[in-house]
Amino acid sequence: MSPWELTLALLLGVGLSASTGLNTFLPLLLLSAAAKFHVAGITLNGSFGWLASDTAIIILIVACILEIIADKVPAVDHFLDAVGTFGRPIAGGLAMASVLDGADPVVAAVVGLIVGSPISLGFHTLKAGTRVASSAVTFGCANPVISIVEDIISLGLSVLAIFVPFLVPVAVLLLVWLLWKVGHRLAAAPAQPPQAMG
């Protein structure tokens, strides 16, 4: 890979890793589809070529639908966040490693582990903190709406990473600020108990 191609691949990986911190399977599904149908010139590292297989895409479609639906259900969303503490860094590392086409598979895996996984975990932590604050303030009533917003952001950031990866750093920094700001405001807001029936 040329230095320019490597830079674009790393930016693509960063964007997708950040997206997996909000939604585990959607970014991987978009990456798999992009690689399979040769969108935006994306090719996968040979050792991760299975990610673009028909079987992988079908599994990712099912997993993506289940995650999106389950994340809108109160209590289930917190369970998913707990599981996501382990699952999302794996997805972020996989996303990063798989886009390093031409790199040694071991090097790609290590980069995924030390770059992609921490990025995913960081965004997952911000997301989970926002969700906990929302639950405390709104008794979970706002969580489905927040989940929809997270899905939209994950989709948008993934698409941005695929088509215009050089804008990823700006988008990631903006997203970090936004998640921190929302979480901070929710944490500072007093809880609003349900109105008593009378």
Side-chain angles (χ1 to χ4, degrees):
M1 300 178 73
S2 68
W4 175 245
E5 291 173 332
L6 177 60
T7 299
L8 290 179
L10 289 171
L11 291 175
L12 169 62
V14 167
L16 293 173
S17 297
S19 297
T20 63
L22 302 176
N23 185 303
T24 311
F25 299 107
L26 180 58
L28 291 178
L29 174 59
L30 294 176
L31 173 61
S32 298
K36 182 173 182 61
F37 298 107
H38 310 290
V39 175
I42 291 178
T43 54
L44 301 179
N45 183 291
S47 296
F48 299 92
W50 55 268
L51 194 57
S53 67
D54 291 339
T55 301
I57 290 177
I58 291 171
I59 291 173
L60 286 171
I61 289 173
V62 173
C64 184
I65 292 172
L66 291 176
E67 181 182 23
I68 287 174
I69 293 173
D71 199 45
K72 309 302 180 289
V73 180
V76 177
D77 59 341
H78 292 298
F79 171 75
L80 288 178
D81 279 342
V83 174
T85 302
F86 304 98
R88 287 182 176 140
I90 293 173
L94 176 60
M96 174 63 81
S98 65
V99 299
L100 297 178
D101 182 38
D104 180 274
V106 174
V107 173
V110 169
V111 172
L113 182 64
I114 65 175
V115 179
S117 294
I119 290 174
S120 180
L121 180 60
F123 274 87
H124 167 72
T125 302
L126 285 171
K127 161 194 161 75
T130 299
R131 195 68 68 90
V132 168
S134 169
S135 295
V137 173
T138 71
F139 295 91
C141 295
N143 286 3
V145 176
I146 292 176
S147 177
I148 292 172
V149 173
E150 291 166 352
D151 293 338
I152 293 172
I153 292 174
S154 180
L155 173 63
L157 183 56
S158 297
V159 170
L160 182 75
I162 289 171
F163 289 101
V164 279
F166 54 87
L167 291 181
V168 164
V170 175
V172 166
L173 290 175
L174 180 60
L175 185 53
V176 168
W177 176 82
L178 179 63
L179 288 171
W180 177 84
K181 194 74 172 176
V182 170
H184 186 264
R185 286 192 175 183
L186 285 172
Q192 300 294 327
Q195 295 292 324
M197 300 295 292

